[in-house]
Amino acid sequence: MHLSDTQPLAGEFRLAIYRAGQLVEEFAEPNLIVNGAKDQLARLVGGAGTGRHITHIGFGIGTAAAAPANTGLSGAFWKPVTSVSYPATGRVAFDWSLSTAEANGMAITEFGLRCADGTLFARKVRAAIHKSDDLSLTGTWTIIF
């Protein structure tokens, strides 16, 4: 059976970095949806929905390339996503932020989305952001079905 209108599960990671309230960098790229996401979605559709929804954004210090078998972040600081929206058919967007008072001293190199049951759903690696008390981050992580 061949379905011509299907596409693989994908994600788009958007990040804005502010120093002392002034925008210094914007970044938008695709991200990796890890294998744990496939299991979460299969179980959710099958009716085993407890703890399967995305609840947290994580900021880590790992430098290994994102891979489908990833299950976590290194040295992660986790916090709840700010909001969830549905910007278009087959899309869910998770807004998030990291304030000037959070994760200071970290060299943030990886980001992740985590489900309520602790399963890693998506992971993104990038050049280090040396987090200090004058930096804040905001972003949106969109999952595309």
Side-chain angles (χ1 to χ4, degrees):
M1 181 176 175
H2 177 69
L3 299 175
S4 62
D5 63 344
T6 62
Q7 67 180 26
L9 188 62
E12 181 184 63
F13 178 79
R14 292 185 168 275
L15 164 68
I17 302 172
Y18 296 88
R19 183 176 301 282
Q22 300 296 312
L23 180 66
V24 294
E25 182 183 350
E26 287 185 289
F27 177 84
E29 273 190 1
N31 71 276
L32 181 68
I33 306 298
V34 299
N35 289 342
K38 294 176 184 177
D39 189 50
Q40 292 292 76
L41 293 171
R43 293 175 186 278
L44 182 64
V45 171
T50 302
R52 307 284 178 206
H53 60 292
I54 293 170
T55 57
H56 286 79
I57 176 85
F59 309 87
I61 57 172
T63 56
N70 291 153
T71 59
L73 303 180
S74 297
F77 173 80
W78 293 96
K79 65 178 289 188
V81 296
T82 307
S83 65
V84 179
S85 63
Y86 306 92
T89 301
R91 292 176 182 243
V92 57
F94 300 91
D95 290 329
W96 57 269
S97 65
L98 188 66
S99 77
T100 56
E102 297 172 309
N104 290 325
M106 285 182 75
I108 300 168
T109 53
E110 61 180 346
F111 298 82
L113 287 178
R114 185 176 75 183
C115 298
D117 69 357
T119 301
L120 185 67
F121 193 95
R123 182 169 175 254
K124 179 70 181 164
V125 178
R126 61 152 284 149
I129 299 168
H130 297 280
K131 182 66 175 67
S132 58
D133 63 4
D134 67 339
L135 282 183
S136 62
L137 313 176
T138 63
T140 301
W141 205 322
T142 302
I143 306 300
I144 304 163
F145 296 88

